[in-house]
Amino acid sequence: MKCKRCGEPAVINMRQHKLGLCGDHFTEWLISYTERAIEKYSMFERGDRLLLAVSGGKDSLALWDILLRLGYDVEALYIDLGIGDEQYSEQSKAKVERFAAGKEGAAYSVVNVKGTYGKSVLELAQEKRGRKVCSLCGLVKRHIMNRTAYEGGFTAVATGHNLDDEAAVLFQNALRWQTGYLARQAPVLPSTHPHLARKVKPFFRLYERETAAYAVVRGIDYIYDECPHSVGATTIFYKELLNQLEERSRGAKQQFYLSFLQARDKHGLFQQELAQLELGECEKCGQPTTAPTLCAFCRLWEVE
Ligand code: AMP
Ligand code: ZN
Ligand code: ZN
């Protein structure tokens, strides 16, 4: 297969776009595709201060690389959760440090969960038997991202979620017709409270294999392994199912997700679910919450 732009051997064939490209033309294409998504969906602008959550994986490091290349005002945040016998967190952090060391202007901060709150997520999960590590981890990450964004005066929080991630979550929500979740699934979540930053996902139109290819072509060293706690997770199974579908029918994964967005934007699909929730402020941390006193995060640290 040859590059559609220059005729050199292609490094990737993107069947859903009917587009094969060489390394140089692929990186050029992916950067401009990301920039167009940022502009088309009004994610953020040049003057905005962006907080990028980085995990040490291919998606968030590739996104960091691109946002810096495009000249956005971006600062990264690594959340040291203390998971996978704490080895996994150590290794992921090392990837973030390594990326930043080799890149001019790559500023970042680290929030260590155990150092800041007294326990790692793993210790917390052991204490709260019956609560899954992944759900605790999600809660802790969301809280820390929101709080860091608010305290640092950032306009938006970006994450590295790609189309495979989004389609798997959509599939999960659609299987159960969880209309409340479906109403809130979007590449841009506007701020609903002065203490909450907008959430954006600039890679939401890219297949996982494309962000991985970008990282490889650009020589970005990232953590290959999935988080050890996610092994066997249903979202991983849904990703496999969607990839089987994609094998049979080119572009099925993309169409599933993008048509959902279109139905929402054009026809208001599920939007009636978005009744304004009354958001108060947590008595302890000040973050927005629907709970009467303490937010779900602060309740985690209360002794029972
Ligand atoms: P995941 O849920 O692991 O697929 O990660 C989705 C996105 O969340 C990543 O692309 C990052 O932007 C962000 N993220 C995940 N883990 C962390 C972490 N430990 N620290 C900061 N951001 C993270
Ligand atoms: Zn080429
Ligand atoms: Zn709180």
Side-chain angles (χ1 to χ4, degrees):
M1 163 137 225
K2 289 189 173 156
C3 172
K4 199 167 182 175
R5 306 262 158 87
C6 70
E8 291 291 311
V11 296
I12 190 163
N13 178 19
M14 297 178 282
R15 290 171 66 228
Q16 81 280 24
H17 299 303
K18 297 197 184 75
L19 184 62
L21 294 171
C22 71
D24 284 350
H25 285 119
F26 170 64
T27 49
E28 195 178 88
W29 174 86
L30 194 136
I31 293 171
S32 113
Y33 196 61
T34 307
E35 189 174 32
R36 275 180 277 144
I38 294 169
E39 289 169 359
K40 183 170 172 199
Y41 290 82
S42 310
M43 294 190 178
F44 44 85
E45 291 180 358
R46 303 269 157 200
D48 288 335
R49 286 189 65 227
L50 249 194
L51 182 68
L52 170 67
V54 291
S55 63
K58 60 187 180 327
D59 304 294
S60 49
L61 292 184
L63 184 54
W64 198 2
D65 186 69
I66 291 174
L67 293 173
L68 287 170
R69 281 177 80 155
L70 290 173
Y72 286 105
D73 182 359
V74 58
E75 196 179 307
L77 164 69
Y78 175 74
I79 304 170
D80 191 339
L81 298 149
I83 46 178
D85 292 333
E86 285 155 40
Q87 281 289 312
Y88 184 75
S89 292
E90 277 308 308
Q91 288 162 3
S92 331
K93 188 168 84 182
K95 301 295 182 192
V96 172
E97 284 164 351
R98 184 143 188 240
F99 178 89
K103 192 103 196 156
E104 211 179 313
Y108 70 102
S109 62
V110 175
V111 173
N112 181 293
V113 174
K114 185 166 181 169
T116 314
Y117 301 99
K119 273 172 231 155
S120 70
V121 168
L122 202 60
E123 289 167 346
L124 205 58
Q126 278 155 0
E127 187 186 287
K128 315 245 166 216
R129 291 180 185 282
R131 279 205 68 167
K132 293 217 174 89
V133 182
C134 298
S135 95
L136 286 172
C137 183
L139 172 61
V140 168
K141 279 192 287 201
R142 275 194 304 279
H143 176 86
I144 295 176
M145 285 178 201
N146 283 334
R147 192 166 180 171
T148 310
Y150 172 61
E151 290 174 358
F154 292 92
T155 336
V157 179
T159 52
H161 292 98
N162 55 45
L163 194 136
D164 294 48
D165 298 322
E166 295 301 293
V169 173
L170 176 62
F171 192 58
Q172 181 166 38
N173 293 338
L175 276 178
R176 299 179 184 83
W177 293 113
Q178 289 173 302
T179 49
Y181 289 155
L182 287 163
R184 277 174 201 86
Q185 205 189 333
V188 180
L189 277 184
S191 159
T192 49
H193 184 282
H195 291 185
L196 272 186
R198 187 189 318 147
K199 306 274 164 42
V200 297
K201 298 169 186 167
F203 275 173
F204 79 99
R205 302 194 296 184
L206 288 167
Y207 282 10
E208 193 162 293
R209 66 189 282 269
E210 292 152 12
T211 59
Y214 180 87
V216 171
V217 171
R218 293 275 298 148
I220 296 172
D221 177 24
Y222 62 88
I223 185 144
Y224 295 95
D225 300 328
E226 296 279 353
C227 167
H229 302 290
S230 75
V231 174
T234 43
T235 43
I236 296 185
F237 175 59
Y238 294 148
K239 280 186 184 177
E240 286 165 9
L241 286 180
L242 289 165
N243 281 334
Q244 282 182 30
L245 202 63
E246 180 78 24
E247 272 298 307
R248 288 263 193 108
S249 163
R250 177 185 61 204
K253 207 160 55 174
Q254 169 178 277
Q255 196 179 26
F256 176 55
Y257 185 65
L258 297 186
S259 307
F260 158 74
L261 288 187
Q262 213 175 30
R264 217 203 24 212
D265 295 345
K266 277 205 180 140
H267 309 296
L269 187 69
F270 301 122
Q271 292 309 283
Q272 69 278 17
E273 292 286 327
L274 284 181
Q276 275 307 314
L277 289 176
E278 272 303 312
L279 284 181
E281 281 165 28
C282 168
E283 283 176 2
K284 192 162 164 199
C285 72
Q287 279 287 300
T289 178
T290 48
T293 50
L294 295 184
C295 71
F297 176 83
C298 289
R299 270 182 278 140
L300 280 183
W301 310 94
E302 295 283 292
V303 227
E304 280 158 17

